[in-house]
Amino acid sequence: MSATDAQTGLQIRVDHVAIRGVVSAVPQQTCTNQDFADRFDTQVIDEITKMTGVECRHIAGPNQTTADLAEAAASRLLSQLAWAAESVDAVIFVSQTPDFRLPATACTLQHRLGLSKNCAALDVNLGCSGYVYGLWLASRLIDGLAVKRVLLLAGDTSSKLVNKEDRATALLFGDAGTATALEYNEQAQPAYYVIGTDGGGARHLMVPRSPVRAEQQEDVRLSQLNPDYLYMDGAQVFNFTISSVPALVRQLLSFSGQTLESTEHFLFHQANAFMLRHIAKKLKIPADQFSLNLQRFGNTSSASIPLLLTDISRQTALRERVVMAGFGVGYSWAAVSCDLSLLQVTDLIEVES
């Protein structure tokens, strides 16, 4: 592995890691934009729908958590791969909606999935960029020969953080949990990562309430909001994404030695349809190499990239080199160019509330 500082982030190469399977799980319960007609007038709903592209989303039940969805996805994945539970050496849970403040949800999932007590387990508190970060962490464990098999669980139930009266967020977010299986393989092609952070943008997308830090009043906007709900400054997040993601993707292609033509598909975090189409146009990505599914699932935070992958795979299997890019809350961003030729399983399931 090599790493160097670069314009938009750290460049990292990882060898000998195969992505073997990806399963996504969404709640059965759905919510359409028309379900908000009692809160917002038709014109407001139409404007938000046109901008975001979201028409429907899957919503977790009152007693259904991200861990529940991730467990269902992981159980299906282990079964379809015929991986014995005790063969998993590490489990990483990436989410900003864990079951508890402590212990780590990864620990409880280790037990629920029947994984070995020799299994390492850790949580990663990241959202939009979290899936690619998780792939990097899991891959680095494997490339470093510390472990042979890792289960990466990524997802969020952001609907539980949303103020239903807030037009900026109420019609945007959906819920999902995912599981990805990675293992050591001598024949696996290298994966190339670019990862970066700008914590100066943290205040533009956050849930302000903290159990350990006194509430901050420096930001007037935050002081006037309910600190238990997700706050998003849409204009600031939009500007950050439009300015940073094209540069991120260009740097990744240069670092990996790939081109638009040599990349089978681009899987971007499903944040906003207008924004993503603008980015694709700016990068000159052909229409058949770029997909959206947030019209049916909304913004599912750390689950959006694997959810898009499994959704696409129901029609066309992805088995070559792809680019995955996540960006948002933090501000945090991460992109990877990786080969999917050793991918064996993709699936998308619904889970009862």
Side-chain angles (χ1 to χ4, degrees), residues 273-292:
F274 177 83
M275 183 169 64
L276 291 173
R277 290 192 179 102
H278 179 85
I279 290 170
K281 183 177 180 180
K282 195 169 184 179
L283 289 168
K284 299 181 180 180
I285 299 174
D288 62 349
Q289 292 174 249
F290 169 77
S291 299
L292 297 173

Side-chain angles (χ1 to χ4, degrees), residues 33 46-56 168 171-173 232 234 237-238 241-242 268-282 290-300 304 308 327:
N33 288 357
D46 289 346
E47 289 174 355
I48 294 173
T49 303
K50 183 177 180 180
M51 173 61 71
T52 66
V54 179
E55 300 173 7
C56 180
L171 281 76
L172 180 59
F173 290 94
M232 181 176 70
V237 174
F238 183 91
T241 305
I242 290 298
F268 291 148
H269 165 56
Q270 299 292 287
N272 174 297
F274 177 83
M275 183 169 64
L276 291 173
R277 290 192 179 102
H278 179 85
I279 290 170
K281 183 177 180 180
K282 195 169 184 179
F290 169 77
S291 299
L292 297 173
N293 72 347
L294 77 172
Q295 65 272 19
R296 290 181 289 115
F297 298 103
N299 179 338
T300 56
S304 74
L308 180 62
F327 37 84

Side-chain angles (χ1 to χ4, degrees), residues 182-197:
L182 303 94
E183 71 174 349
Y184 183 86
N185 187 287
E186 285 283 354
Q187 282 71 50
Q189 295 296 310
Y192 300 88
Y193 292 83
V194 174
I195 291 173
T197 312

Side-chain angles (χ1 to χ4, degrees), residues 25-348:
V26 294
Q28 279 188 344
Q29 178 183 346
T30 59
C31 173
T32 70
N33 288 357
Q34 297 313 308
D35 293 327
F36 290 88
D38 61 334
R39 298 183 179 91
F40 309 111
D41 63 43
T42 301
Q43 182 177 351
V44 169
I45 292 175
D46 289 346
E47 289 174 355
I48 294 173
T49 303
K50 183 177 180 180
M51 173 61 71
T52 66
V54 179
E55 300 173 7
C56 180
R57 63 212 52 77
H58 289 254
I59 301 297
N63 298 313
Q64 190 174 46
T65 71
T66 306
D68 297 331
L69 298 171
E71 179 187 13
S75 295
R76 175 67 67 92
L77 180 57
L78 292 173
S79 174
Q80 292 192 353
L81 284 174
W83 278 17
E86 58 270 20
S87 72
V88 176
D89 301 308
V91 57
I92 300 173
F93 179 71
V94 180
S95 180
Q96 296 192 310
T97 51
D99 275 7
F100 313 104
R101 289 176 180 169
L102 59 91
T105 302
C107 293
T108 61
L109 283 167
Q110 173 272 333
H111 176 71
R112 290 165 63 173
L113 290 167
L115 306 182
S116 167
K117 292 182 180 179
N118 295 325
C119 176
L122 69 149
D123 282 8
V124 176
N125 180 13
L126 282 172
C128 313
S129 66
Y131 182 68
V132 180
Y133 260 91
L135 287 177
W136 165 54
L137 291 171
S139 297
R140 189 62 192 97
L141 288 174
I142 295 169
D143 183 36
L145 301 179
V147 301
K148 291 189 180 299
R149 285 180 171 176
V150 176
L151 202 55
L152 170 63
L153 310 180
D156 281 288
T157 45
S158 300
S159 69
K160 297 179 183 291
L161 303 177
V162 168
N163 181 352
K164 301 300 189 294
E165 308 298 327
D166 179 12
R167 58 180 289 176
T169 58
L171 281 76
L172 180 59
F173 290 94
D175 301 330
T178 69
T180 301
L182 303 94
E183 71 174 349
Y184 183 86
N185 187 287
E186 285 283 354
Q187 282 71 50
Q189 295 296 310
Y192 300 88
Y193 292 83
V194 174
I195 291 173
T197 312
D198 178 9
R203 69 187 185 278
H204 300 309
L205 184 54
M206 70 185 307
V207 178
R209 176 78 73 189
S210 167
V212 295
R213 178 179 291 279
E215 292 182 25
Q216 302 296 302
Q217 303 299 326
E218 289 86 352
D219 192 317
V220 176
R221 294 168 302 172
L222 295 180
S223 68
Q224 295 173 341
L225 298 172
N226 185 321
D228 293 312
Y229 287 131
L230 178 68
Y231 166 74
M232 181 176 70
D233 186 328
Q236 291 287 347
V237 174
F238 183 91
N239 291 337
F240 152 72
T241 305
I242 290 298
S243 63
S244 62
V245 175
L248 169 66
V249 174
R250 291 191 187 103
Q251 181 188 343
L252 177 67
L253 291 176
S254 175
F255 173 51
S256 63
Q258 301 299 314
T259 63
L260 293 178
E261 293 73 24
S262 64
T263 303
E264 182 181 15
H265 215 84
F266 291 81
L267 297 99
F268 291 148
H269 165 56
Q270 299 292 287
N272 174 297
F274 177 83
M275 183 169 64
L276 291 173
R277 290 192 179 102
H278 179 85
I279 290 170
K281 183 177 180 180
K282 195 169 184 179
L283 289 168
K284 299 181 180 180
I285 299 174
D288 62 349
Q289 292 174 249
F290 169 77
S291 299
L292 297 173
N293 72 347
L294 77 172
Q295 65 272 19
R296 290 181 289 115
F297 298 103
N299 179 338
T300 56
S301 191
S302 62
S304 74
I305 295 173
L307 178 58
L308 180 62
L309 190 158
T310 54
D311 191 31
I312 293 172
S313 295
R314 294 195 290 183
Q315 303 298 325
T316 304
L318 299 178
R319 293 294 184 269
E320 298 177 24
R321 185 162 288 273
V322 301
V323 164
M324 306 182 200
F327 37 84
V329 59
Y331 291 141
S332 175
W333 57 90
V336 60
S337 172
C338 61
D339 180 78
L340 297 181
S341 61
L342 298 176
L343 183 66
Q344 296 174 307
V345 171
T346 58
D347 201 0
L348 173 56

